[in-house]
Amino acid sequence: MNLADLTAVDLLAKYRDGSVSPVEVIEDVLARVEQFEPRISALYALDPAGARAAAHESERRWRDGTAGALDGVPVTVKENIATRGTPVPQGTAATELIPAVEDAPAAARLREAGAVIFSKTTMPEYGMLSSGVSTFHHLTRNPWDVTKTAGGSSAGAAAAAAAGYGPIHLGTDIGGSIRLPAGWCGLVGIKPTHGRVAVGNPYPGRAIGPLTRTAADAALALSVISGYDPRDYTSLPAASDRYEITIAGLRVALLLDAGIGLPVDPEVAAAVSSTASQLEKAGALVERIAPIITREMLDGLDRFWRIRSATDIAALPEERRAKVLPQIREWVSTAGDLSGFDVFHGYSQMGAMAAAVGRVFTTYDVILSPVAPITAFPAELAYPTDDPSKPFEHIAFTVPYNMSQHPATTVNAGWSSSGLPIGAQLAVPHHQDLTALALAAHLENHQREWPTS
């Protein structure tokens, strides 16, 4: 197997026994990037020279016995997670390109652990799209089928993971931005408990987590990047839960109908139902549940986010405002029609979503659902609806856990008739992040070769 395809767990074992060097690995990763990148456009600020230098330093630490927890493992970091010296364009040409003065907490922890951060990854306009459409980056595409989106907003992270640009890729998630691309690219992607990973610029629902090919790699990455940081007042101590789970007796809520948004594709429903059957065969108690959130909740969130984005865009100088993606400008154009009551009511629906999820967890240990109601849509579309007035019809399965702050992870559940990955989502109670990944590890059965060209 090409070294670029090895898991982080396997790489560390080989570094430890001296059979493989970080220098060899980064060369295979850079060769893979050269092979794929013209077609999928997953990377931003690729730094081959810096990567090679970091790999040589890692090789020295392994010889000296001073290697860290991720020493020599190639990783990427989504471009909105600051790394010192690199501008943070937020996926839009409207941003002034000013180099970041320091690493964000998660990036700093990767460096401290010896990881080789060889590139940033792309994101769509302001991170407000579940696609790779951006006025700053080239269009990011899905390695499984380059006519399809990789998802978003962690578009480049998902595409890089599926293409084999090394094993660990950090993304961010405020409504599904890790889980949606992970699901559409056949990956494990976890949105941790809110605060488990310090963000640095906290905001309700915003989280940082890894996208990987295996649950074990996601658990390893999460163990490194989690923990308190004074720059994020919402941050929590490092995760202390164990990477294990007992399936027998597990109370699983099966949610196949979100109740709102796009209808669930029959192939998606079948794949997630098959995952439920796997759990039942292992002794879990699976019960189908009614929709958790309502139209009022999702529309309220839309109104609040629209006002937030309109405020940010209105603050830009006119020449930069004109560079914002037209679909985003169209979406915020109606913000002025909203009253103070509309905005306050919209904000209150974030709490209503959280309460609705919390009630489910008084009865169940896990909520199993699709990640998205559909498989990956055409890459050129900003939204699966192709309608800026209906931008959130695909996030009804994912966004409730951002608002409720519960951890939720993805696992590949099967394949569409056209060969596209179908993701299942596993949400669990607060602080059980690694338990969710242990459950994903029990279920992961990839069955197909990763994209090779």
Side-chain angles (χ1 to χ4, degrees), residues 142-144 149-150 158-159 161-162 178-189 211-215 371 376 410-415 419-424 444-448 450-451:
N142 193 320
W144 292 99
T149 186
I178 288 171
R179 291 158 291 155
L180 289 164
W184 285 328
C185 289
L187 306 166
V188 173
L211 296 90
T212 61
R213 289 182 172 186
T214 68
V371 179
T410 67
V411 67
N412 182 252
W415 308 87
L420 293 172
I422 296 172
E444 62 188 359
N445 183 16
H446 206 267
Q447 298 177 334
R448 299 193 181 189
W450 291 95

Side-chain angles (χ1 to χ4, degrees), residues 77-128:
V77 176
K78 188 175 175 181
E79 63 107 311
N80 65 338
I81 302 171
T83 52
R84 61 177 181 266
T86 304
V88 184
Q90 302 283 342
T92 177
T95 300
E96 190 176 4
L97 296 179
I98 300 172
V101 297
E102 64 179 0
D103 287 339
R109 296 212 167 163
L110 288 175
R111 287 197 208 275
E112 290 164 6
V116 177
I117 302 174
F118 68 94
S119 185
K120 307 296 288 289
T121 52
T122 61
M123 62 183 282
E125 202 84 0
Y126 287 117
M128 289 303 298

Side-chain angles (χ1 to χ4, degrees), residues 126 306-318 320-322 324-325 328-329 331-332:
Y126 287 117
R306 197 178 312 191
I307 283 287
R308 183 199 71 177
S309 296
T311 302
D312 291 343
I313 292 170
L316 297 173
E318 184 175 353
R320 286 167 54 196
R321 198 181 316 139
V324 174
L325 189 75
I328 296 289
R329 284 188 276 127
W331 174 56
V332 303

Side-chain angles (χ1 to χ4, degrees), residues 10 67 228 232 308 396 452:
D10 288 342
Y228 175 75
D232 182 349
R308 183 199 71 177
T452 57

Side-chain angles (χ1 to χ4, degrees), residues 269-429:
V272 176
S273 296
S274 178
T275 300
S277 295
Q278 285 182 255
L279 293 174
E280 278 190 308
K281 289 175 183 176
L285 307 173
V286 178
E287 294 180 0
R288 187 161 175 178
I289 62 169
I292 297 175
I293 66 170
T294 65
R295 182 85 252 173
E296 182 182 17
M297 293 176 190
L298 190 62
D299 287 350
L301 183 71
D302 181 345
R303 294 187 186 103
F304 177 74
W305 280 358
R306 197 178 312 191
I307 283 287
R308 183 199 71 177
S309 296
T311 302
D312 291 343
I313 292 170
L316 297 173
E318 184 175 353
E319 66 276 10
R320 286 167 54 196
R321 198 181 316 139
K323 296 178 180 179
V324 174
L325 189 75
Q327 291 94 324
I328 296 289
R329 284 188 276 127
E330 183 177 346
W331 174 56
V332 303
S333 66
T334 58
D337 300 332
L338 300 174
S339 67
F341 173 85
D342 294 329
V343 178
F344 178 78
H345 180 69
Y347 183 82
S348 74
Q349 295 310 295
M350 296 161 71
M353 278 192 197
V357 173
R359 286 192 290 271
V360 179
F361 281 123
T362 63
T363 304
Y364 298 97
D365 304 308
V366 180
I367 303 172
L368 168 64
S369 75
V371 179
I374 57 173
T375 55
F377 55 93
E380 290 78 12
L381 297 183
Y383 310 100
T385 58
D386 198 23
D387 182 353
S389 70
K390 297 178 179 178
F392 301 137
E393 298 302 294
H394 59 293
I395 68 170
F397 286 113
T398 51
V399 74
Y401 309 114
N402 293 86
M403 301 302 105
S404 70
Q405 305 186 5
H406 288 91
T409 192
T410 67
V411 67
N412 182 252
W415 308 87
S416 72
S417 55
S418 60
L420 293 172
I422 296 172
Q425 178 176 239
L426 303 158
V428 296

Side-chain angles (χ1 to χ4, degrees), residues 139-153:
L139 177 63
T140 304
R141 298 176 178 273
N142 193 320
W144 292 99
D145 179 348
V146 294
T147 70
K148 303 298 184 182
T149 186
S153 64

